Amino acid sequence: MGKCPFSFLHGLTSRNASKEALANHSIDRHDYNHTANASYHTLEGHDELNEQMRMIDLSEEDLSLLRQMKPIVEKKIDYITDQFYNTVLGVSKLEAIILEHSSIERLKKTLREHIIEIFNGDINEQYIAKRLAIAKIHKRVGLEPKWYLSAFQNLQNVFITVIYNEMNEDSERLKVVQTVTKLLNLEQQLVLEAYEKENIREKEEQYLAVKNELKQKIAEFSGELVDLSIDTNAAVEQLVASSNEVNNTFRRTAASALESQGMATEGHGHLGSLTDQISLIYESTHAMERSINELSSSSKQIQKIVAAVQDIADQTKILSLNATIEAARAGVHGKGFSVVAGEVSRLAEDTKNTVVRIGELTHQSGSLTIQVVDEIRKVQELTKSGKVQSIETSQLFSDIVNSMQTSTQEIVAVEEEIKVLIQTIEGIGTTTAQTAASAEYFKSATENL
């Protein structure tokens, strides 16, 4: 397992550090009383880090002072690490991280080595590399910077307390506190900068992964959009063609409807003329019936005259017979009357025969007249029925004309709506084509991400 997340924390001396230790490792004032010409530690190829150390005033004298303090730190290292982990283990979240990734004893050992190494006073490539490794470990195990800074602040408080308890002169205390604070600050700078770089690296990796995934998804989506646009465009073209065909059919239907409407109107006019003719026929049959009735009346009068003439002929014959009888009685004197009576008798017989013939003809004419009247009445009934049917047919034609006129108007309106629909579909087709072009451009753009 890697180093403890808190292996960067350091300790100093205990409250009970012996007078002898302080005497053996007393700090020479000359070593840390700096002047304006104090020399600063520099690392080749680390210009920015050198500027950081100059900015916090970390000099070679400070590093020398750390080396002088090392024996005291080595002697009190167990106390320092125990105090540190007592504080850290008081936070349940930090204790859970430690127990998940290592053990307390192992981390204490690592911390001891790390603190003693700090007081070697050697800030070099190896020193920097270890701090960067510590930051990566902190990041990997999920230690947040706030806990790192909190632990550092706690350690700094321990250092200050120990320094003030173990040193007698304020000037010595101040110098040691400043040196330790500078060192802790440099540690924080290195680790937090590594934290930041690691975060940036992770974010760049996440961004790259998201970018690649997004690029792939966009490419897939663009491909699907292109295919969909092509299919949609083809469907729209087919729909436009079908709509044009329907429109042409509607135009033909509208033309046929208009033609049918004209024919129906013309038929309605002819039917009106037929109705008028039937009405005339109906009136003519009425007039014919009146004439036949008058003829029948005349025939009846002729029959009466024939009967009267027949009576006269009969009486004339009787008179002729009487005259013949009287002529016979007269003898020679009545012979002329006999001839006349014979002629009168013959005339009366001829008259009677003629009248009988006229009667027969008149009777036959009456019968025929009755038949003609019956036929005329039948024609009247048929004409009347035809007139009614003609009126009904005329009304039906009128309704057909009105219906066809309404249908024609509706067809014309539908034709206009279809024209608008075709224009709309063509607009959709244009938009779909533009969408397909945009999708192609979008796909090309994602490929260049």
Side-chain angles (χ1 to χ4, degrees):
M1 196 67 190
K3 292 183 178 180
C4 166
F6 312 101
S7 59
F8 49 81
L9 297 178
H10 327 296
L12 197 57
T13 62
S14 68
R15 178 183 297 273
N16 298 321
S18 63
K19 301 287 186 177
E20 181 180 359
L22 291 174
N24 292 336
H25 302 285
S26 60
I27 300 172
D28 189 350
R29 291 171 181 266
H30 179 72
D31 291 333
Y32 58 82
N33 286 333
H34 302 304
T35 64
N37 297 322
S39 60
Y40 295 101
H41 183 73
T42 57
L43 285 174
E44 185 176 353
H46 294 276
D47 295 339
E48 190 169 296
L49 181 58
N50 292 331
E51 289 294 331
Q52 290 174 247
M53 289 189 291
R54 278 192 290 272
M55 188 172 182
I56 64 175
D57 197 27
L58 182 63
S59 64
E60 290 291 349
E61 286 80 3
D62 290 315
L63 298 179
S64 178
L65 180 58
L66 289 175
R67 297 185 193 102
Q68 294 181 45
M69 294 173 62
K70 183 177 179 180
I72 299 175
V73 173
E74 289 176 338
K75 186 175 181 179
K76 300 300 180 182
I77 192 64
D78 289 338
Y79 173 79
I80 295 171
T81 54
D82 288 341
Q83 287 295 105
F84 172 75
Y85 278 104
N86 287 340
T87 303
V88 169
L89 295 176
V91 180
S92 58
K93 184 175 182 178
L94 302 182
E95 181 181 9
I97 293 175
I98 292 173
L99 296 177
E100 180 182 357
H101 295 280
S102 186
S103 65
I104 302 299
E105 291 303 320
R106 182 177 179 181
L107 293 179
K108 283 185 176 182
K109 179 181 178 181
T110 303
L111 180 60
R112 292 188 194 99
E113 295 173 355
H114 184 72
I115 292 176
I116 293 172
E117 185 182 66
I118 290 175
F119 284 89
N120 287 335
D122 296 326
I123 300 178
N124 48 31
E125 294 287 349
Q126 184 180 6
Y127 180 89
I128 296 173
K130 285 186 177 182
R131 272 68 198 162
L132 299 180
I134 291 171
K136 290 182 179 180
I137 293 173
H138 291 168
K139 181 67 178 174
R140 179 172 57 82
V141 300
L143 178 67
E144 298 174 80
K146 63 182 180 181
W147 298 116
Y148 169 80
L149 294 174
S150 298
F152 248 96
Q153 183 60 48
N154 178 64
L155 184 59
Q156 182 172 294
N157 292 339
V158 174
F159 281 161
I160 293 172
T161 301
V162 170
I163 290 169
Y164 268 83
N165 288 338
E166 300 301 334
M167 292 186 178
N168 296 324
E169 296 186 13
D170 289 340
S171 59
E172 291 180 350
R173 292 171 178 168
L174 178 60
K175 181 56 186 175
V176 174
V177 168
Q178 288 177 340
T179 298
V180 172
T181 302
K182 292 174 187 179
L183 187 65
L184 294 178
N185 182 267
L186 182 62
E187 283 266 335
Q188 288 177 323
Q189 290 182 44
L190 292 172
V191 174
L192 291 178
E193 183 180 8
Y195 249 116
E196 183 179 4
K197 288 181 178 179
E198 188 67 16
N199 278 330
I200 293 174
R201 185 191 65 79
E202 287 185 358
K203 290 185 181 298
E204 287 178 348
E205 289 180 353
Q206 292 175 357
Y207 168 75
L208 184 60
V210 172
K211 176 182 175 181
N212 290 334
E213 183 179 359
L214 180 61
K215 180 179 177 181
Q216 182 181 358
K217 294 294 183 183
I218 291 176
E220 293 175 357
F221 171 74
S222 300
E224 293 176 358
L225 183 60
V226 170
D227 295 338
L228 180 61
S229 299
I230 293 173
D231 294 340
T232 303
N233 192 37
V236 169
E237 290 178 355
Q238 181 64 35
L239 184 58
V240 169
S242 299
S243 299
N244 287 326
E245 185 177 352
V246 172
N247 187 39
N248 293 332
T249 303
F250 263 102
R251 287 180 179 177
R252 292 193 295 271
T253 303
S256 299
L258 290 173
E259 184 178 357
S260 299
Q261 182 181 358
M263 294 174 64
T265 302
E266 185 179 358
H268 184 265
H270 291 170
L271 188 61
S273 299
L274 179 60
T275 302
D276 294 339
Q277 291 177 2
I278 292 175
S279 296
L280 291 175
I281 294 172
Y282 185 74
E283 294 297 328
S284 297
T285 55
H286 271 288
M288 188 181 296
E289 183 181 9
R290 286 194 298 271
S291 297
I292 292 175
N293 287 331
E294 290 177 0
L295 178 62
S296 177
S297 177
S298 297
S299 179
K300 288 178 181 179
Q301 291 178 3
I302 290 172
Q303 287 179 353
K304 290 180 180 180
I305 292 172
V306 167
V309 171
Q310 188 174 4
D311 289 340
I312 291 171
D314 289 338
Q315 291 177 4
T316 300
K317 188 175 181 179
I318 292 171
L319 288 175
S320 174
L321 180 61
N322 291 329
T324 301
I325 293 171
E326 290 297 330
R329 285 180 181 177
V332 177
H333 297 288
K335 189 176 182 178
F337 286 103
S338 177
V339 173
V340 172
E343 290 296 327
V344 169
S345 177
R346 185 181 60 79
L347 178 61
E349 187 66 25
D350 291 340
T351 302
K352 183 178 179 180
N353 292 333
T354 301
V355 168
V356 170
R357 180 61 180 167
I358 291 173
E360 291 175 354
L361 293 175
T362 303
H363 184 270
Q364 185 178 3
S365 176
S367 298
L368 292 175
T369 300
I370 292 173
Q371 291 180 2
V372 171
V373 169
D374 290 338
E375 294 297 328
I376 288 175
R377 286 178 178 174
K378 290 179 181 179
V379 171
Q380 284 179 338
E381 292 295 328
L382 293 175
T383 304
K384 184 178 180 180
S385 176
K387 185 178 181 180
V388 173
Q389 291 180 359
S390 177
I391 293 173
E392 292 177 353
T393 305
S394 178
Q395 182 62 42
L396 180 60
F397 263 100
S398 180
D399 294 340
I400 290 173
V401 170
N402 293 332
S403 177
M404 291 186 69
Q405 185 175 3
T406 302
S407 298
T408 303
Q409 293 174 351
E410 292 178 352
I411 289 173
V412 172
V414 171
E415 182 180 1
E416 294 299 324
E417 292 178 358
I418 288 178
K419 289 181 180 178
V420 175
L421 177 61
I422 291 174
Q423 293 175 354
T424 303
I425 293 173
E426 289 175 347
I428 293 173
T430 303
T431 304
T432 303
Q434 293 175 352
T435 303
S438 300
E440 287 286 357
Y441 175 78
F442 188 42
K443 184 177 181 181
S444 300
T446 55
E447 290 175 352
N448 295 327
L449 288 176

